Amino acid sequence: MKRELSNRHIQLISIGGTIGTGLFLGASRSIAFTGPSIMLVYLAAGIFMFLVTRAMGEMLYMDPDQHTFINFISKYLGKPFGFFSGWTYWLSIIFTGMGELTAVGIYFQFWFPKMPMWIIQLMFLAAIMSINLITVKFFGEAEFWFAMIKISAIVALILTSIFMLATDFKTPIGAVGLTNISKNFQLFPNGFKNFVMAFPMVFFAYQGIEFVGITTSETKNPRAVLPKAINQIIIRILIFYIGSLIAIMLIYPWQSLDPKQSPFVWIFKLLGISWAAGLINFVVLTAASSALNSILYSSGRHLYQLASDSSGKFNKNCAVISKNGVPARTICLSALAVAVSPIINSIPTIKDAFSVIASVSSGAYLLIYILTLFAHRKYTQSKDYLANGFLMPKPKFFGPLTIAFMVFILISMLFQKETCPGVVTALIWLVVFGGYSLAKYKNENS
């Protein structure tokens, strides 16, 4: 592969990995769920996700030629865990891609309500796949501009709130100000249970934050770029997520938010933009495009790594780099797997395909993050440990604490009817495929 991604590309890819469609459409729902304390949820989850990326980053900094952090699980926990993690992570990315493709169909029907969703999804998937098949530099450029659109919308929201606050702006339901947050303030206005149940919701918004690490093997000067990109993640969480939530609640009393309406649409309408709904639909469509673009990039590279580590026909047919320097065959196979999404959406017994897909993806992601943190712990005890490298802060304390946080989210998902099936599916997969992985390598070693 070619190292054609520059610092400019990596910085915007890292931003794109921390801003999803959930912020633009789901902010009202998450605020209504637990009130202003949702900021604590975003902050706590953001800090732990940052620690996960620091653990990954430390290992990738030590060996920047790796195409995926999963290789470190194989190296430090053993081949059975690596085999299990490799396929589980690829499937979790694919399920995330299915969720984004489902969202794309919904957003696009805003303009073309009569067009069948499956046609929209397949056309869109083909376009995003084409971007990934050209060159890695072209992918980086596309992701750069996708991220710029998302950032511009959020910056516009924050600046609008500052302007309204400074001018004592009055909306149809009252004045803009801090009283919209502090009036009748309660830490858990809808109960402590709702506060806890908000964590899985926010966790899904942060999924994919590790994609910036996967770009390492195709980055110019990876040891210079990687620490900057990862360290700035926490700053972006504070600015873009927490900043957006504060801006929304300054303008609109949180008790009056409609969970089904995007707060971005309502706020831009206050500025006199009559076509605000169309504008925000374009932004969320761009956000979904950005996510899908990164997903095909990551899943293609990851499947290529799985093929490289295997043997036989899978290795021969898939561990291939095109003349453009991209793993074209594995990108196409990953896109084909994501294309199952329209089939899932057409199953009559599945009323909310997006929630089902998202919960399965979250359950699998949690397992991978936990195994990655265990691998990092083993790495710090190994002869490979780079004492002057890009070190995770206080790993003996924050490593186990982050694992405990991931287990906490996994358990909390069991108590929600929307997410419980996903966790159960992930646990069944852990037992069945995990058992197969152990047996496979036991037989090979015997």
Side-chain angles (χ1 to χ4, degrees), residues 95-148:
F95 271 99
T96 304
M98 288 180 185
E100 294 296 343
L101 193 60
T102 300
V104 162
I106 296 169
Y107 304 149
F108 217 90
Q109 282 191 326
F110 176 85
W111 291 302
F112 303 99
K114 294 183 180 180
M115 184 179 287
M117 187 177 288
W118 68 270
I119 293 178
I120 294 170
Q121 290 174 320
L122 292 180
M123 288 174 62
F124 206 87
L125 183 61
I128 297 296
M129 184 179 72
S130 299
I131 291 173
N132 274 267
L133 291 176
I134 299 173
T135 62
V136 68
K137 187 175 182 180
F138 189 78
F139 156 80
E141 203 62 37
E143 192 60 25
F144 177 88
W145 290 107
F146 282 149
M148 281 296 289

Side-chain angles (χ1 to χ4, degrees), residues 369-439:
Y369 287 156
I370 290 169
L371 286 172
T372 302
L373 289 161
F374 275 116
H376 174 262
R377 185 174 180 82
K378 285 284 187 180
Y379 157 72
T380 60
Q381 299 166 352
S382 73
K383 62 181 180 180
D384 298 326
Y385 179 65
L386 195 64
N388 61 345
F390 178 49
L391 305 181
M392 178 187 181
K394 300 189 182 298
K396 290 183 179 179
F397 175 74
F398 285 119
L401 189 63
T402 307
I403 291 171
F405 178 76
M406 298 298 163
V407 173
F408 157 71
I409 293 179
L410 200 62
I411 293 171
S412 67
M413 289 174 69
L414 286 169
F415 295 94
Q416 295 187 63
K417 63 178 182 180
E418 295 87 358
T419 56
C420 184
V423 179
V424 172
T425 302
L427 293 176
I428 292 171
W429 172 262
L430 173 64
V431 173
V432 176
F433 190 66
Y436 169 77
S437 301
L438 289 170

Side-chain angles (χ1 to χ4, degrees), residues 346-366:
S346 65
I347 298 174
T349 53
I350 299 178
K351 295 180 180 179
D352 188 353
F354 183 84
S355 294
V356 172
I357 291 169
S359 62
V360 172
S361 174
S362 293
Y365 254 101
L366 284 163

Side-chain angles (χ1 to χ4, degrees), residues 176-373:
V176 173
L178 287 169
T179 53
N180 289 334
I181 299 175
S182 60
K183 188 177 180 181
N184 299 322
F185 179 81
Q186 288 179 286
L187 192 58
F188 311 121
N190 297 324
F192 182 69
K193 182 181 177 181
N194 268 28
F195 176 76
V196 171
M197 295 308 169
F199 279 93
M201 186 191 307
V202 172
F203 173 77
F204 180 76
Y206 282 131
Q207 278 179 212
I209 199 172
E210 78 286 350
F211 284 174
V212 64
I214 297 175
T215 62
T216 303
S217 63
E218 294 173 89
T219 303
K220 300 172 186 176
N221 303 318
R223 284 189 169 174
V225 171
L226 186 66
K228 289 181 182 177
I230 290 178
N231 280 337
Q232 289 179 12
I233 285 174
I234 192 67
I235 299 170
R236 285 162 186 149
I237 287 169
L238 290 172
I239 294 173
F240 295 117
Y241 274 112
I242 310 298
S244 296
L245 294 171
I246 292 173
I248 290 165
M249 288 187 283
L250 280 176
I251 297 169
Y252 206 108
W254 70 267
Q255 299 94 333
S256 304
L257 281 169
D258 181 357
K260 296 180 180 180
Q261 185 183 25
S262 168
F264 284 75
V265 173
W266 188 86
I267 289 165
F268 287 136
K269 278 184 176 179
L270 286 177
L271 293 177
I273 303 175
S274 58
W275 40 275
L279 172 65
I280 297 306
N281 198 70
F282 170 73
V283 172
V284 294
L285 189 59
T286 302
S289 304
S290 171
L292 201 53
N293 194 34
S294 294
I295 283 163
L296 288 188
Y297 172 89
S298 302
S299 59
R301 267 70 180 173
H302 189 69
L303 190 59
Y304 168 80
Q305 187 68 54
L306 291 174
S308 300
D309 294 340
S310 68
S311 57
K313 289 185 178 180
F314 181 46
N315 175 276
K316 185 178 179 181
N317 295 330
C318 295
V320 178
I321 299 295
S322 72
K323 63 181 181 180
N324 292 337
V326 299
R329 293 184 183 182
T330 52
I331 290 171
C332 291
L333 283 172
S334 296
L336 191 63
V338 172
V340 174
S341 178
I343 298 174
I344 295 175
N345 279 277
S346 65
I347 298 174
T349 53
I350 299 178
K351 295 180 180 179
D352 188 353
F354 183 84
S355 294
V356 172
I357 291 169
S359 62
V360 172
S361 174
S362 293
Y365 254 101
L366 284 163
L367 295 178
I368 295 302
Y369 287 156
I370 290 169
L371 286 172
T372 302
L373 289 161

Side-chain angles (χ1 to χ4, degrees), residues 1 3 59-69 71-72 213-219 221-223 226 301 304-305 308:
M1 297 185 193
R3 292 188 182 273
M59 294 185 287
L60 286 164
Y61 185 90
M62 180 272 296
D63 187 0
D65 290 329
Q66 296 298 328
H67 295 295
T68 170
F69 64 89
N71 287 355
F72 298 112
I214 297 175
T215 62
T216 303
S217 63
E218 294 173 89
T219 303
N221 303 318
R223 284 189 169 174
L226 186 66
R301 267 70 180 173
Y304 168 80
Q305 187 68 54
S308 300

